[in-house]
Amino acid sequence: MRSLDPAVEVVEFTPTPEQYAWTFGGAAPVARVRPGTALRLWSDDAFCGRLRSVTDLPGTALQMPFVNPQTGPFLVEGAEPGDTLVLHVVDFEPARDWGASALIPFFGGLTSTDRTATLQPPLPERTWIYHLDSERGTVGLDLGDVHLDLPLEPMLGTVGVAPAAGEVRSALVPDVFGGNMDTPELRAGTTVYLRVNVEGALFSLGDGHFRQGEGESCGTAVEGAMNSLVLVDLLKTPGPAWPRLESDTHWTVVGSARPLEDAWRAGQVDAVGWLAGLTGLDTLDAYQVLSQVSEVPLANAVDVNYSVATKVPKRLVPAARPAYGGVHGRLRALVR
Amino acid sequence: MRSLDPAVEVVEFTPTPEQYAWTFGGAAPVARVRPGTALRLWSDDAFCGRLRSVTDLPGTALQMPFVNPQTGPFLVEGAEPGDTLVLHVVDFEPARDWGASALIPFFGGLTSTDRTATLQPPLPERTWIYHLDSERGTVGLDLGDVHLDLPLEPMLGTVGVAPAAGEVRSALVPDVFGGNMDTPELRAGTTVYLRVNVEGALFSLGDGHFRQGEGESCGTAVEGAMNSLVLVDLLKTPGPAWPRLESDTHWTVVGSARPLEDAWRAGQVDAVGWLAGLTGLDTLDAYQVLSQVSEVPLANAVDVNYSVATKVPKRLVPAARPAYGGVHGRLRALVR
Amino acid sequence: MRSLDPAVEVVEFTPTPEQYAWTFGGAAPVARVRPGTALRLWSDDAFCGRLRSVTDLPGTALQMPFVNPQTGPFLVEGAEPGDTLVLHVVDFEPARDWGASALIPFFGGLTSTDRTATLQPPLPERTWIYHLDSERGTVGLDLGDVHLDLPLEPMLGTVGVAPAAGEVRSALVPDVFGGNMDTPELRAGTTVYLRVNVEGALFSLGDGHFRQGEGESCGTAVEGAMNSLVLVDLLKTPGPAWPRLESDTHWTVVGSARPLEDAWRAGQVDAVGWLAGLTGLDTLDAYQVLSQVSEVPLANAVDVNYSVATKVPKRLVPAARPAYGGVHGRLRALVR
Amino acid sequence: MRSLDPAVEVVEFTPTPEQYAWTFGGAAPVARVRPGTALRLWSDDAFCGRLRSVTDLPGTALQMPFVNPQTGPFLVEGAEPGDTLVLHVVDFEPARDWGASALIPFFGGLTSTDRTATLQPPLPERTWIYHLDSERGTVGLDLGDVHLDLPLEPMLGTVGVAPAAGEVRSALVPDVFGGNMDTPELRAGTTVYLRVNVEGALFSLGDGHFRQGEGESCGTAVEGAMNSLVLVDLLKTPGPAWPRLESDTHWTVVGSARPLEDAWRAGQVDAVGWLAGLTGLDTLDAYQVLSQVSEVPLANAVDVNYSVATKVPKRLVPAARPAYGGVHGRLRALVR
């Protein structure tokens, strides 16, 4: 795991099962953090570690609605509604040597669900176990005659703050407050910007994925317990309408809604505004530039809201100003 | 207003503005009620009475997110998760002699919104005031040369219970817990069945409409303060997956989701199951019957989820058993 | 069947199977008609009469894509692109004493389809036969212990003109040119307005339904051969963007698109414009009125595009001018 | 431009404006080709070259519906319904030194449209001209103080065959027959597999893009006239349900539908079947693998149907058999 400038205070936190949070909003903070602090956090997998072999099936092993446990929430000192919470992901490290994926009845993208309801019976349940090979950086899966070694590409499915308007949302939900966006773009080296809705922001994270395809087709990734090293910062400037991500190479907005085109529209409109602000272009010129440069990988098409990432490659817009006063670069410089 | 058998205990409740609830879940009960009791409730309009003339525009007169105030929640004694809460609407009576409707920027069906996002500017704000003529049973609207007298058809936009899984949802949301379904089917004489998710059910209601078109196109009905007389009952039998309504003439399911076809699918699948249960038909025969008899008026296409009503006319399925042990008829018999 | 003023010329046409049209556009006209003429037309059912007993299953009895045969197209003399074709439905009469409905694999509303694709197997095939009782005006269905007698409510699923831009569309498609809208609003006494796209308009009709629920849930109505008596007229005024219907009681627009909210939006926007034109109200006032008066029954949620009807009750807007110069009333006056 | 093994016969074709095809299906073939032949084709840009400066605005310069002209159709000798048409893109080369993009009223992703209809006025029209710098491999755009040099990444927006069931579709439509998919995945080095629907397949291509962002947000890419060198082949094995692409690195399926999730579902289900066939995995294991490996870039969210690409990286599934008998590799080997 990458390390940090020794001047940075690092706070470690591993929740007990009783401390797991199941919602955004509605949970008491587990700790207070000062902007500028780093957190080294352990999070359980989305199944609470209950799927350990292919004979552990979701219907019997899981205890709904207690899935997707969050580590947190953390109260950020000084955070007020409207501010920008900044979370820079220094690194992710699998916290177990195995991950699990599963088919859950009437859940996922290529089955009918409680909303996309049909009269067909559900697909069968099935559980898959992946074995981590840290040296080769792979997760291995045995499927009879076929063995797969897939690159380890750790990410978090879920990071978010308490919602506005007094709402409390399940940790399965992605929306304007972040949450279960399930985007592979949330990898190490990424800075997340979230609008603060309540005093203290109350952010939490979880749902580690050792890897995930874009769309998370079957509804579950290679779910695994994760250690996350995250730098926390706070800007007293207006937070974004939708979660924004920044890496060394891209500015990204993640829209979440149904139908899928609305997730895309919401993220795109925010990206046009961001791009206009960074370049001084008017809205229509920014729309034109976005039309020719954006990379748009699907995040998930399986959650309560679907999520789509709109990515703008920085190299294609060299004249742009640094975003959010260059905070991404400043935080990145603290990483060794 | 219709009256009740004198043996029925009637509890009156009018909230102070401080008692308004803005969410389903997350609010302390304002009172306890025993099954078998009637409630006579006053509810403010969705604008909190702040739009009183055409010069009161939403952008300045409303204080977001404090809209759609709920009267309640009420704790129903003995209600446990999984039970069926039964609410029979004895009558509605406008509680003011005027109602209001308004165009709110980026809200409604025929404008872009925060989700169906576009780069176009919003439509202008506008407020309309309707005058109640109780004797003629109309609401009148003056539009320059055109004067309209529309029939008074009072209904509630919102009735619901606390959600499952610890969630707290804005009173603007319709979902499996009921909420802001905005269906004109929720008129006097209707029995509502809702699945209980928490001890005491914690139901509330509000969002009176003096009338509303199907779809609530512009996002607001003829919004008005309302007196509601409601009989409360409880069945210790499994509650429905989606809100169900029963009148003397129809069994109705209200599905709420996005896109709109998912709202329809969800309600239809529940209606197939209900119809199969009431008739003894197998699922596919019930599907066939529903296909030829269902009436499907749009409820709303403007809220956080869209809502569609699937109605089955009782006269077309004369062999069906009474629903929920005939509770609708028993409650109806208490009305004078 | 209702009869016509004897001054009206009535042309009869019954296609041979070789004359069936399977598309809108792309078929040579079977006859020319002068505006002012009436047509008495026989149309086969959507299954080409191949489902005659419950043992005739779609997979073996039907010969795809030869379903939904159209009677026509008819070349309307003088019709030019941009004109308004007027078709007044004088009456419908079942042309057989039985109708059929069926479950077709991966087709319908409560199953996955080729577009709403899942990995689940299809629902089983099943065929239902309804028996017409002309005296009682019912169609009867035997389902083991349950016998249903449903009111005969004849309608056409399909009426349309040749599309614009040289397109040829399957008779299963509803769109701006009309087509397979599958709306129960297309009943006797209704005037249909369609924009002409090609010289001669080239309209056809078919897909008789002895009755249909709103939404046509399983994908097929009580499909039956039908005799239709239709008055044909032509207005040299601009045709509507979407198919419009007029009855003695309602002005109706049928939008067709996916997702379902887009079908609704398209029809609603056209209805706002129509209402503004009929009343002199500005667009936003017309939007307000529509919001409080519109009735919005689902037409179908199963076809290539979904269809939704937006209906405006005439009695609620008494100051409105007659639509299209009062042609509905003039044609209606020819009916005895 | 890359060249071909001299044994390959190369046929050149440049249409006159009178030869442009505006539809898939419904146009007479411009030439016959034998499988194994290469075609060197010129195609005009989607605007027919009518937008040449920023003062050429779509509303006055374009002549609807004459946009997106196709070069073709070509009759492939021996092609019969159900076969697999194989088109290997050897190379693309801009055929003009400038490209154009434009905002067209009520067209594009971040505006209301004729389907996603609202009452808002359209965005203003605007045209942008890009200048090709062949040496640097860029297209340049001047936006006042901001100058952009974007990498030339040529692709075709449109390639397709005549539809099934006698349909004729506008060249603006993407669907199972291919058509206006607008996916940047259709770049040089790609093999396209399309199911043949009519004798001779009747394929055409056009809509060259010098580059395009994923989603084609504003509705138009950097539209440019293009020279395409394409190898044509034919397999007498069953063609795919949806257009499939193969490159040296990926197997890709492009689904096209509305809403966007249906485009995704359709392509994903076909990809699961393809992956199962290539690996011998059962359907659920293939679903699991797809869930962890698929890359899902949006193609377009602006056309008559939206399109999504589901890509499977070959390196992650090393045990897979070659697709379609290895035809991609055989055609690739003919390229110098």
Side-chain angles (χ1 to χ4, degrees), chain B residues 130 214 217 261 268 288 296, chain C residues 130 214 217 260 268 288 296:
Chain B
Y130 290 78
E214 293 166 357
S217 312
E261 55 261 41
Q268 288 262 313
Q288 170 60 209
V296 185
Chain C
Y130 290 78
E214 293 166 358
S217 311
L260 190 51
Q268 288 263 313
Q288 169 61 210
V296 184

Side-chain angles (χ1 to χ4, degrees), chain C residues 151-225:
Chain C
L152 176 68
E153 296 182 0
M155 52 165 279
L156 284 187
T158 308
V159 61
V161 293
E167 285 206 314
V168 174
R169 301 307 310 274
S170 156
L172 296 170
V173 179
D175 209 311
V176 288
F177 59 84
N180 194 25
M181 298 178 283
D182 283 322
T183 172
E185 306 304 321
L186 191 45
R187 61 176 70 88
T190 303
T191 301
V192 182
Y193 305 101
L194 294 166
R195 188 184 55 210
V196 174
N197 300 304
V198 302
E199 301 286 327
L202 295 179
F203 80 87
S204 60
L205 55 77
D207 193 23
H209 294 168
F210 292 174
R211 72 170 284 115
Q212 181 206 304
E214 293 166 358
E216 205 186 14
S217 311
C218 79
T220 56
V222 181
E223 309 285 339

Side-chain angles (χ1 to χ4, degrees), chain C residues 190-271:
Chain C
T190 303
T191 301
V192 182
Y193 305 101
L194 294 166
R195 188 184 55 210
V196 174
N197 300 304
V198 302
E199 301 286 327
L202 295 179
F203 80 87
S204 60
L205 55 77
D207 193 23
H209 294 168
F210 292 174
R211 72 170 284 115
Q212 181 206 304
E214 293 166 358
E216 205 186 14
S217 311
C218 79
T220 56
V222 181
E223 309 285 339
M226 193 77 85
N227 291 309
S228 302
L229 181 57
V230 178
L231 277 161
V232 180
D233 212 340
L234 180 71
L235 299 175
K236 303 301 284 185
T237 50
W242 287 94
R244 292 178 175 178
L245 311 181
E246 184 174 1
S247 69
D248 291 354
T249 59
H250 290 83
W251 303 287
T252 299
V253 182
V254 182
S256 296
R258 290 191 177 197
L260 190 51
E261 55 262 40
D262 276 4
W264 174 79
R265 287 168 176 146
Q268 288 263 313
V269 164
D270 193 58

Side-chain angles (χ1 to χ4, degrees), chain A residues 42-285:
Chain A
W42 181 93
S43 57
D44 204 345
D45 70 42
F47 304 128
C48 303
R50 289 164 174 267
L51 301 188
R52 291 170 173 266
S53 84
V54 297
T55 57
D56 293 331
L57 294 180
T60 44
L62 301 184
Q63 194 181 345
M64 300 301 290
F66 300 106
V67 291
N68 222 24
Q70 296 299 298
T71 296
F74 297 94
L75 187 154
V76 180
E77 295 184 359
E80 293 171 303
D83 290 350
T84 303
L85 177 67
V86 183
L87 300 173
H88 178 74
V89 180
V90 178
D91 216 350
F92 293 133
E93 198 173 62
R96 289 196 189 109
D97 63 0
W98 54 272
S101 191
L103 280 191
I104 300 171
F106 293 128
F107 180 71
L110 305 186
T111 170
S112 54
T113 68
D114 65 333
R115 309 273 149 162
T116 308
T118 77
L119 297 172
Q120 293 157 296
L123 293 173
E125 293 190 285
R126 192 176 288 186
T127 294
W128 294 267
I129 302 296
Y130 289 79
H131 297 283
L132 176 69
D133 184 329
S134 297
E135 292 207 3
R136 297 170 60 202
T138 59
V139 285
L141 178 67
D142 283 307
L143 296 168
D145 293 342
V146 177
H147 178 83
L148 296 176
D149 283 303
L150 303 178
L152 175 68
E153 297 182 359
M155 53 164 279
L156 284 186
T158 308
V159 61
V161 294
E167 286 207 314
V168 174
R169 302 307 311 274
S170 156
L172 296 169
V173 178
D175 209 310
V176 288
F177 59 84
N180 194 26
M181 298 178 283
D182 283 323
T183 172
E185 306 304 320
L186 192 44
R187 60 176 70 90
T190 304
T191 301
V192 182
Y193 305 100
L194 294 166
R195 186 185 57 210
V196 174
N197 299 304
V198 302
E199 301 287 325
L202 295 179
F203 80 87
S204 59
L205 55 77
D207 192 23
H209 294 168
F210 292 174
R211 70 171 288 116
Q212 181 206 302
E214 292 166 358
E216 206 187 12
S217 312
C218 78
T220 56
V222 181
E223 309 284 339
M226 194 77 84
N227 290 308
S228 303
L229 182 58
V230 178
L231 276 161
V232 179
D233 211 340
L234 180 71
L235 299 175
K236 302 301 283 185
T237 50
W242 288 93
R244 293 177 175 178
L245 311 181
E246 183 175 1
S247 68
D248 292 354
T249 59
H250 290 82
W251 303 287
T252 299
V253 181
V254 182
S256 295
R258 290 191 179 198
L260 190 52
E261 55 261 40
D262 276 3
W264 174 78
R265 286 166 177 147
Q268 289 262 313
V269 164
D270 192 58
V272 166
W274 197 6
L275 188 56
L278 294 176
T279 57
L281 293 173
D282 77 7
T283 298
L284 298 191
D285 282 346

Side-chain angles (χ1 to χ4, degrees), chain C residues 123-139:
Chain C
L123 294 172
E125 292 190 286
R126 193 176 288 187
T127 294
W128 294 267
I129 302 296
Y130 290 78
H131 297 281
L132 176 69
D133 184 329
S134 297
E135 293 208 2
R136 298 170 61 202
T138 58
V139 284

Side-chain angles (χ1 to χ4, degrees), chain B residues 28 51 77 84 119 214 250-251 283 285 290 316:
Chain B
L51 302 188
E77 295 184 359
T84 303
L119 297 172
E214 293 166 357
H250 290 82
W251 303 288
T283 298
D285 281 347
L290 189 79
L316 297 187

